[in-house]
Amino acid sequence: MSMAKILNFIDGTYREGKGWFDKRNPCNNEVFAQVAEAGKTEVDAAVAAARRALRGPWGKMTVAERGAILHKVADGITRRFDEFLEAECRDTGKPKSLASHIDIPRGAANFKIFADLVKNVPTESFVLDTPDGAGAVNYALRRPKGVIGVICPWNLPLLLMTWKVGPALACGNTVVVKPSEETPSTAALLGEVMNEAGVPPGVYNVVHGFGPDSAGEFLTSNPDVNAVTFTGETRTGAAIMKAGAGFIRPVSLELGGKNPAIVFADADLDKAIEGTMRSAFANCGQVCLGTERVYVERPVFDEFVARLKTGAEALVIGTPDEPGANMGPLVSREHQAKVLSYYEKAQALGATIVTGGGIPMVPAALAEGAWVEPTIWTGLGDDSPIMREEIFGPCCHISPFDDEEEVIARANDTEYGLACAIWTENSSRANRVAARMETGLVWVNSWFLRDLRTPFGGSKRSGIGREGGVHSLEFYTELSNVCVKL
Ligand code: NAD
Ligand code: 6OD
């Protein structure tokens, strides 16, 4: 049987590129598909197609017409749910139980919510007095920004890509998507759904490849791209900003994190353990919002550590289809090497390894997969690299603390500012501490509870800008003021 092929999607049709690269299964490292790598020719063709579509039918549609089509896109994802689930889990190795609750439903929801939202957001208007007494009326118009470059990571591929494509299209833009080289499948499959839903050719384009000297760089160096929205590592975000600087091109950057959780002694420990289990280990720890630093008030420190250890050791590691499995492999052997290098560093620095710290036992057929053990450390200082650098694996360090001021200072002592979780039953304390956290997102007694109308994004080196609700409209539209002299 010939190897599966994953193609670029340009101007409504599937196309090859300048060559091919391998897509491997993270569970066993076997190559299962060949991906068409877009060269400059294909990327430029995608941008040109997006520009034509903007001037053509898409740009001329009413908001209601576009919204109706985007609802069909969402329905198309839902109708082909099993295909999306299969593709996402094959690319990432994540459990189907996880992707069927989060990745795929959110992929559909991201189209519906923004299609509905754009219909209901007003723009401002002002009546101006003029010396002749007749006055003038000002009103603001929202216009699409144009061709949007969408560059995505591999951890929640469909969810994070549609989180940008949904609002971009709802606002009347067209897009060229560069999915991660690790996870090309669902972005490519979405092309079929776009065609079935009646999205005109050129509105949604997908180019596969890598970053430097590949599709990512060809996209960010194309002068006809009007804005770039990016999710990924902070270092890559800096390269993308630089690439657009000469064009004065707007960027929205959703970047890395080193997120704290703060557990006060008055927390409901059942809730705090359940939430921290998810925030540290869900998706094999590959969630930008995930907790890697846990601060626990001293009276409950030992109990918390013991209970989180029990929880981590009860996780069932397995392939996406394995019944009961709730933790898959990391996305690749390359990422496994990075995470394991931190496991070794923690040991070398003298951390107490509460649990994990290595590669789990797996059946021989999976021995080449990117598996790592869920890992908990204690005993390191706040200046340790384990406490300062984003690891992006199923691991966390737990430290004791003694008072509120101390823990606020320690939690904020990081170059990142994406998310934090506060666990306490004292609501005054919760609100007081939340207001002092230097993060774009604060969860109280919860984690990754998402209302898509709210602002989402990071402070400090975790990003620039906010997406979500009306904040997405701020990025994906240009406001023009019209001043009418009466
Ligand atoms: P990455 O930065 O390595 O890659 C992201 C994308 O950028 C990929 O498609 C890659 O091919 C492309 N890319 C790389 N170099 C490029 C360049 N020079 N020009 C253009 N494109 C380039 O990130 P990753 O490893 O895929 O994802 C993990 C990272 O993403 C973590 O740091 C995580 O915290 C972050 N993340 C952040 C959020 C958020 O919302 N803040 C969400 C998810 C992931
Ligand atoms: O829920 C979202 O909209 C979102 N952008 C989640 C990001 C998760 C990071 O890994």
Tab-separated table of all heavy atoms in Angstrom, residues 436-460:
chain	number	residue	atom	x	y	z
A	436	ARG	N	-3.259	40.971	41.583
A	436	ARG	CA	-1.813	41.229	41.651
A	436	ARG	C	-1.015	40.323	40.718
A	436	ARG	O	0.214	40.476	40.598
A	436	ARG	CB	-1.326	41.016	43.094
A	436	ARG	CG	-2.079	41.819	44.147
A	436	ARG	CD	-1.352	43.003	44.710
A	436	ARG	NE	0.054	42.872	44.939
A	436	ARG	CZ	0.625	42.609	46.117
A	436	ARG	NH1	-0.121	42.410	47.188
A	436	ARG	NH2	1.930	42.570	46.231
A	437	MET	N	-1.666	39.353	40.096
A	437	MET	CA	-0.913	38.424	39.233
A	437	MET	C	-0.585	39.089	37.900
A	437	MET	O	-1.466	39.650	37.254
A	437	MET	CB	-1.719	37.138	38.985
A	437	MET	CG	-1.968	36.302	40.232
A	437	MET	SD	-0.513	36.042	41.263
A	437	MET	CE	0.568	35.259	40.095
A	438	GLU	N	0.679	38.988	37.506
A	438	GLU	CA	1.129	39.624	36.257
A	438	GLU	C	0.927	38.659	35.090
A	438	GLU	O	1.868	38.324	34.368
A	438	GLU	CB	2.598	40.025	36.399
A	438	GLU	CG	2.807	41.082	37.486
A	438	GLU	CD	4.274	41.271	37.850
A	438	GLU	OE1	5.140	40.587	37.270
A	438	GLU	OE2	4.541	42.103	38.734
A	439	THR	N	-0.284	38.163	34.951
A	439	THR	CA	-0.584	37.201	33.880
A	439	THR	C	-1.834	37.652	33.135
A	439	THR	O	-2.704	38.310	33.714
A	439	THR	CB	-0.839	35.787	34.463
A	439	THR	OG1	-1.875	35.863	35.450
A	439	THR	CG2	0.405	35.201	35.094
A	440	GLY	N	-1.925	37.277	31.883
A	440	GLY	CA	-3.102	37.639	31.094
A	440	GLY	C	-4.338	36.880	31.539
A	440	GLY	O	-5.465	37.319	31.312
A	441	LEU	N	-4.137	35.702	32.123
A	441	LEU	CA	-5.264	34.852	32.503
A	441	LEU	C	-5.083	34.387	33.938
A	441	LEU	O	-3.993	33.948	34.315
A	441	LEU	CB	-5.308	33.606	31.604
A	441	LEU	CG	-5.423	33.913	30.111
A	441	LEU	CD1	-4.771	32.829	29.290
A	441	LEU	CD2	-6.875	34.056	29.715
A	442	VAL	N	-6.140	34.512	34.729
A	442	VAL	CA	-6.107	34.020	36.112
A	442	VAL	C	-7.312	33.115	36.306
A	442	VAL	O	-8.450	33.526	36.041
A	442	VAL	CB	-6.204	35.197	37.124
A	442	VAL	CG1	-6.139	34.669	38.549
A	442	VAL	CG2	-5.101	36.223	36.892
A	443	TRP	N	-7.064	31.898	36.714
A	443	TRP	CA	-8.186	31.013	37.070
A	443	TRP	C	-8.257	30.889	38.573
A	443	TRP	O	-7.212	30.704	39.234
A	443	TRP	CB	-7.994	29.621	36.449
A	443	TRP	CG	-8.504	29.543	35.051
A	443	TRP	CD1	-9.816	29.562	34.670
A	443	TRP	CD2	-7.738	29.419	33.842
A	443	TRP	NE1	-9.909	29.476	33.294
A	443	TRP	CE2	-8.647	29.386	32.769
A	443	TRP	CE3	-6.376	29.339	33.569
A	443	TRP	CZ2	-8.254	29.267	31.446
A	443	TRP	CZ3	-5.973	29.224	32.251
A	443	TRP	CH2	-6.905	29.186	31.196
A	444	VAL	N	-9.461	30.996	39.124
A	444	VAL	CA	-9.673	30.769	40.558
A	444	VAL	C	-10.490	29.490	40.700
A	444	VAL	O	-11.575	29.362	40.117
A	444	VAL	CB	-10.418	31.960	41.201
A	444	VAL	CG1	-10.745	31.655	42.662
A	444	VAL	CG2	-9.579	33.233	41.102
A	445	ASN	N	-9.944	28.549	41.450
A	445	ASN	CA	-10.596	27.252	41.694
A	445	ASN	C	-11.027	26.577	40.392
A	445	ASN	O	-12.094	25.942	40.326
A	445	ASN	CB	-11.791	27.413	42.646
A	445	ASN	CG	-11.322	27.849	44.017
A	445	ASN	OD1	-10.195	27.526	44.426
A	445	ASN	ND2	-12.143	28.594	44.727
A	446	SER	N	-10.225	26.737	39.354
A	446	SER	CA	-10.518	26.100	38.071
A	446	SER	C	-9.261	26.212	37.219
A	446	SER	O	-8.288	26.879	37.594
A	446	SER	CB	-11.680	26.805	37.363
A	446	SER	OG	-11.364	28.170	37.153
A	447	TRP	N	-9.318	25.571	36.087
A	447	TRP	CA	-8.216	25.701	35.119
A	447	TRP	C	-8.766	25.360	33.737
A	447	TRP	O	-9.510	24.395	33.581
A	447	TRP	CB	-7.050	24.756	35.471
A	447	TRP	CG	-5.928	24.846	34.471
A	447	TRP	CD1	-5.006	25.839	34.380
A	447	TRP	CD2	-5.645	23.930	33.406
A	447	TRP	NE1	-4.160	25.598	33.321
A	447	TRP	CE2	-4.541	24.425	32.707
A	447	TRP	CE3	-6.228	22.734	32.971
A	447	TRP	CZ2	-3.987	23.777	31.592
A	447	TRP	CZ3	-5.698	22.079	31.869
A	447	TRP	CH2	-4.578	22.604	31.194
A	448	PHE	N	-8.371	26.156	32.744
A	448	PHE	CA	-8.799	25.958	31.346
A	448	PHE	C	-10.327	25.903	31.224
A	448	PHE	O	-10.867	25.149	30.423
A	448	PHE	CB	-8.173	24.680	30.759
A	448	PHE	CG	-7.953	24.740	29.252
A	448	PHE	CD1	-7.089	23.851	28.617
A	448	PHE	CD2	-8.589	25.659	28.444
A	448	PHE	CE1	-6.867	23.885	27.241
A	448	PHE	CE2	-8.390	25.703	27.066
A	448	PHE	CZ	-7.525	24.819	26.478
A	449	LEU	N	-10.992	26.700	32.061
A	449	LEU	CA	-12.433	26.864	31.914
A	449	LEU	C	-12.594	28.059	30.985
A	449	LEU	O	-12.212	29.167	31.360
A	449	LEU	CB	-13.037	27.138	33.302
A	449	LEU	CG	-14.538	27.295	33.411
A	449	LEU	CD1	-15.275	26.078	32.868
A	449	LEU	CD2	-14.919	27.502	34.881
A	450	ARG	N	-13.110	27.836	29.767
A	450	ARG	CA	-13.014	28.872	28.743
A	450	ARG	C	-14.379	29.432	28.369
A	450	ARG	O	-15.295	28.675	28.053
A	450	ARG	CB	-12.336	28.288	27.499
A	450	ARG	CG	-10.899	27.902	27.723
A	450	ARG	CD	-9.933	29.097	27.669
A	450	ARG	NE	-9.819	29.594	26.318
A	450	ARG	CZ	-10.230	30.802	25.941
A	450	ARG	NH1	-10.783	31.636	26.781
A	450	ARG	NH2	-10.077	31.182	24.679
A	451	ASP	N	-14.471	30.758	28.402
A	451	ASP	CA	-15.613	31.464	27.845
A	451	ASP	C	-15.036	32.237	26.661
A	451	ASP	O	-14.193	33.119	26.855
A	451	ASP	CB	-16.192	32.408	28.906
A	451	ASP	CG	-17.384	33.199	28.395
A	451	ASP	OD1	-17.443	33.473	27.173
A	451	ASP	OD2	-18.251	33.560	29.204
A	452	LEU	N	-15.446	31.896	25.457
A	452	LEU	CA	-14.752	32.404	24.267
A	452	LEU	C	-15.011	33.889	24.011
A	452	LEU	O	-14.429	34.473	23.099
A	452	LEU	CB	-15.120	31.575	23.037
A	452	LEU	CG	-14.889	30.061	23.182
A	452	LEU	CD1	-15.119	29.354	21.861
A	452	LEU	CD2	-13.515	29.728	23.724
A	453	ARG	N	-15.854	34.496	24.855
A	453	ARG	CA	-16.089	35.939	24.700
A	453	ARG	C	-15.057	36.757	25.470
A	453	ARG	O	-15.029	37.968	25.368
A	453	ARG	CB	-17.490	36.301	25.232
A	453	ARG	CG	-18.607	35.629	24.465
A	453	ARG	CD	-19.914	35.744	25.191
A	453	ARG	NE	-19.896	35.059	26.482
A	453	ARG	CZ	-20.934	34.921	27.286
A	453	ARG	NH1	-22.092	35.426	26.932
A	453	ARG	NH2	-20.832	34.286	28.432
A	454	THR	N	-14.214	36.100	26.243
A	454	THR	CA	-13.311	36.826	27.142
A	454	THR	C	-11.940	37.051	26.496
A	454	THR	O	-11.549	36.307	25.589
A	454	THR	CB	-13.117	36.030	28.450
A	454	THR	OG1	-12.560	34.745	28.112
A	454	THR	CG2	-14.434	35.829	29.173
A	455	PRO	N	-11.190	38.076	27.003
A	455	PRO	CA	-9.854	38.308	26.431
A	455	PRO	C	-8.897	37.178	26.780
A	455	PRO	O	-8.845	36.736	27.923
A	455	PRO	CB	-9.408	39.611	27.099
A	455	PRO	CG	-10.273	39.791	28.298
A	455	PRO	CD	-11.555	39.078	28.018
A	456	PHE	N	-8.139	36.744	25.778
A	456	PHE	CA	-7.187	35.640	25.957
A	456	PHE	C	-5.830	36.088	25.441
A	456	PHE	O	-5.707	36.557	24.311
A	456	PHE	CB	-7.668	34.409	25.158
A	456	PHE	CG	-6.758	33.217	25.305
A	456	PHE	CD1	-7.049	32.209	26.207
A	456	PHE	CD2	-5.595	33.109	24.554
A	456	PHE	CE1	-6.196	31.123	26.367
A	456	PHE	CE2	-4.738	32.041	24.707
A	456	PHE	CZ	-5.039	31.041	25.609
A	457	GLY	N	-4.800	35.939	26.262
A	457	GLY	CA	-3.451	36.277	25.802
A	457	GLY	C	-2.520	36.443	26.982
A	457	GLY	O	-2.935	36.313	28.142
A	458	GLY	N	-1.265	36.729	26.683
A	458	GLY	CA	-0.260	36.764	27.740
A	458	GLY	C	0.364	38.129	27.937
A	458	GLY	O	0.361	38.976	27.038
A	459	SER	N	0.899	38.338	29.138
A	459	SER	CA	1.682	39.543	29.445
A	459	SER	C	3.169	39.207	29.304
A	459	SER	O	3.535	38.061	29.114
A	459	SER	CB	1.449	39.979	30.892
A	459	SER	OG	0.097	39.984	31.185
A	460	LYS	N	4.000	40.195	29.506
A	460	LYS	CA	5.456	40.063	29.469
A	460	LYS	C	5.866	39.264	28.211
A	460	LYS	O	5.333	39.518	27.133
A	460	LYS	CB	5.944	39.449	30.782
A	460	LYS	CG	5.526	40.284	32.006
A	460	LYS	CD	6.354	39.963	33.235
A	460	LYS	CE	5.699	39.037	34.195
A	460	LYS	NZ	6.380	38.793	35.438
